[in-house]
Amino acid sequence: MEYYVYQHRAIDTNKIFYVGKGKGIRHADKNKRSRYWKFFVEKHGFYSEILKANLDEDFAFLIEKEAINIYKKRGIKLVNLTDGGEGCSGYSHLHTAESKAKMSASQIGNTNKNGKTLSAKSKEKISKAKLGKHLSIEHCKAISNGLIGNKHTAKLTDDEVRFVRTNKNIMTHIELGKMFGLHKNTIHKIWRFERYKDVI
């Protein structure tokens, strides 16, 4: 029973703009927040309020989801990118098999075939050996064409794309572009479904 549900209010307007679930000092933490949350807080500041404490995790998720739903029905504009009821438990969650595989892959090149860590001298030799090995123009074009339409090269998540479209009449293309680090013309293309066509 260590979880709680909290909300954030803007310091300048006192308006609620975010609802979350957490434990420990998560309610006051600025780390691991969405770009929109950071953009909003930079402009308005924030303070936190605990809505309900001493919950188990499942119940906390349910209350978070219900609070977000009620606020949205009341016309309160939240910066939450999802409807709640999902995510990990702070910073102490276990790594999934997929996460472990990615971490393992990231270590490739840092060890030799016997699993021993490469010395700085060895890494320098490998780096020098790779110098001068440039790809041909044809090869670069082939790689570029292969990446077209590849979802893994996208700059926005599906939820962020939905957020951009949902706020079309609330925020300008310039504000949304700054928020997500995109050119204003790209925002227009997302609005017109010329980009991220598969995201509904």
Side-chain angles (χ1 to χ4, degrees):
M1 306 290 282
E2 57 184 335
Y3 294 93
Y4 54 78
V5 176
Y6 64 94
Q7 65 186 20
H8 287 158
R9 289 180 181 268
I11 290 177
D12 55 355
T13 64
N14 203 40
K15 291 182 178 179
I16 299 165
F17 68 92
Y18 181 82
V19 176
K21 157 252 164 192
K23 62 180 180 178
I25 61 168
R26 178 57 180 159
H27 67 95
D29 199 345
K30 291 184 178 181
N31 293 320
K32 296 193 177 182
R33 301 291 185 184
S34 71
R35 283 179 283 184
Y36 187 31
W37 186 95
K38 291 178 180 177
F39 178 85
F40 187 94
V41 168
E42 185 177 334
K43 188 174 182 180
H44 302 281
F46 87 102
Y47 68 94
S48 59
E49 296 175 328
I50 304 296
L51 296 177
K52 189 74 176 175
N54 299 318
L55 307 169
D56 62 45
E57 187 170 26
D58 289 336
F59 196 30
F61 274 135
L62 286 173
I63 294 176
E64 175 198 33
K65 192 171 184 179
E66 185 66 18
I68 290 172
N69 183 46
I70 290 172
Y71 284 159
K72 286 186 175 180
K73 284 181 178 178
R74 291 178 180 175
I76 296 173
K77 301 192 183 308
L78 302 175
V79 303
N80 292 74
L81 294 176
T82 69
D83 293 326
E86 54 198 36
C88 61
S89 305
Y91 304 109
S92 59
H93 64 286
L94 297 175
H95 293 296
T96 63
E98 184 181 1
S99 297
K100 289 178 182 178
K102 286 181 180 178
M103 287 188 285
S104 177
S106 71
Q107 294 301 313
I108 294 174
N110 291 327
T111 57
N112 62 19
K113 62 182 180 180
N114 296 318
K116 293 182 179 179
T117 303
L118 296 174
S119 66
K121 191 173 182 180
S122 296
K123 289 180 182 179
E124 186 179 354
K125 286 182 180 179
I126 293 171
S127 179
K128 285 182 179 179
K130 289 180 179 179
L131 291 176
K133 292 184 179 180
H134 300 291
L135 299 177
S136 66
I137 295 174
E138 291 77 15
H139 196 166
C140 290
K141 285 182 178 179
I143 293 173
S144 178
N145 290 332
L147 291 175
I148 294 175
N150 186 340
K151 203 169 183 178
H152 296 293
T153 64
K155 289 186 176 181
L156 300 183
T157 65
D158 288 358
D159 285 327
E160 288 173 333
V161 171
R162 293 187 188 100
F163 182 88
V164 168
R165 288 178 180 148
T166 301
N167 286 275
K168 180 178 180 180
N169 297 318
I170 299 172
M171 302 178 67
T172 69
H173 58 295
I174 296 174
E175 288 175 327
L176 288 166
K178 286 181 179 178
M179 184 184 304
F180 293 105
L182 299 174
H183 192 277
K184 60 184 180 180
N185 291 342
T186 302
I187 299 297
H188 278 291
K189 288 179 180 178
I190 293 173
W191 284 347
R192 295 194 298 263
F193 281 84
E194 293 174 13
R195 295 283 302 273
Y196 303 99
K197 297 178 183 177
D198 58 328
V199 181
I200 299 173

